[in-house]
Amino acid sequence: MLLPALATLAVGWLMVLATAPAMPAPAGAAVYLISSFVCHQLPERSFHVDGHQLPVCARCLGIYAGAAAVACLGCVAWFRAPLGRWPAAWLRRLAVAAALPTALTVAAEWAGVWATSNAVRAIAGLSLGAGAALVVVGAVATLHYGECRPPRRPSIPPSEPV
């Protein structure tokens, strides 16, 4: 029940970001304001739709897309079941490995070695978002909801007539 809710929220947020430029002014402004708390929103590092900048940069959009994709996959049993059996340390290592493309592109940009494009930033972000979501989906897959409920009292069989 928790994974479908997380997937719905992740996909919903991604859709809100993608449609923000076309929203009525108050709603769109709210999305841009909320997004400004987590993203620098630099125009040259953002995708534009019909000449309007999206509320987050290309890398952040990739992160949200990767997280939404893995959250949706987490709703499918064949994907979720193996994750529930993987040790948490493996999932964390996988998340760190998924962060490497983003780390490399950021380091290359800061060093002045490579001026990456928005597409490259978004693809690197996909990996980071997917890795982070793998950890969350793996953690949720290990929850045992049945163990959280109080035990039921055994039913007492009707007494037999003597």
Side-chain angles (χ1 to χ4, degrees), residues 78-159:
W78 60 262
F79 181 81
R80 184 180 61 244
L83 285 178
R85 291 190 294 268
W86 286 12
W90 279 87
L91 290 174
R92 285 192 300 272
R93 287 184 190 120
L94 190 57
V96 169
L100 286 177
T102 296
L104 291 173
T105 59
V106 169
E109 287 176 25
W110 286 354
V113 177
W114 183 30
T116 58
S117 67
N118 285 339
V120 171
R121 289 183 187 105
I123 291 168
L126 273 171
S127 170
L128 179 59
L134 270 176
V135 173
V136 172
V137 169
V140 172
T142 62
L143 294 176
H144 301 284
Y145 298 108
E147 295 174 9
C148 297
R149 293 188 200 132
R152 290 185 175 193
R153 294 192 326 195
S155 60
I156 301 171
S159 59

Side-chain angles (χ1 to χ4, degrees):
M1 193 68 167
L2 184 58
L3 280 174
L6 289 174
T8 302
L9 287 172
V11 171
W13 178 243
L14 188 60
M15 297 304 296
V16 164
L17 292 173
T19 60
M23 289 180 179
V31 174
Y32 281 85
L33 176 66
I34 292 167
S35 299
S36 72
F37 292 112
V38 294
C39 182
H40 54 67
Q41 297 178 327
L42 294 175
E44 66 274 8
R45 293 191 177 193
S46 301
F47 290 118
H48 291 74
V49 177
D50 290 332
H52 299 284
Q53 178 183 337
L54 291 181
V56 293
C57 70
R59 183 173 286 123
C60 288
L61 189 67
I63 290 169
Y64 291 128
V70 170
C72 288
L73 280 174
C75 295
V76 182
W78 60 262
F79 181 81
R80 184 180 61 244
L83 285 178
R85 291 190 294 268
W86 286 12
W90 279 87
L91 290 174
R92 285 192 300 272
R93 287 184 190 120
L94 190 57
V96 169
L100 286 177
T102 296
L104 291 173
T105 59
V106 169
E109 287 176 25
W110 286 354
V113 177
W114 183 30
T116 58
S117 67
N118 285 339
V120 171
R121 289 183 187 105
I123 291 168
L126 273 171
S127 170
L128 179 59
L134 270 176
V135 173
V136 172
V137 169
V140 172
T142 62
L143 294 176
H144 301 284
Y145 298 108
E147 295 174 9
C148 297
R149 293 188 200 132
R152 290 185 175 193
R153 294 192 326 195
S155 60
I156 301 171
S159 59
E160 298 178 12
V162 181

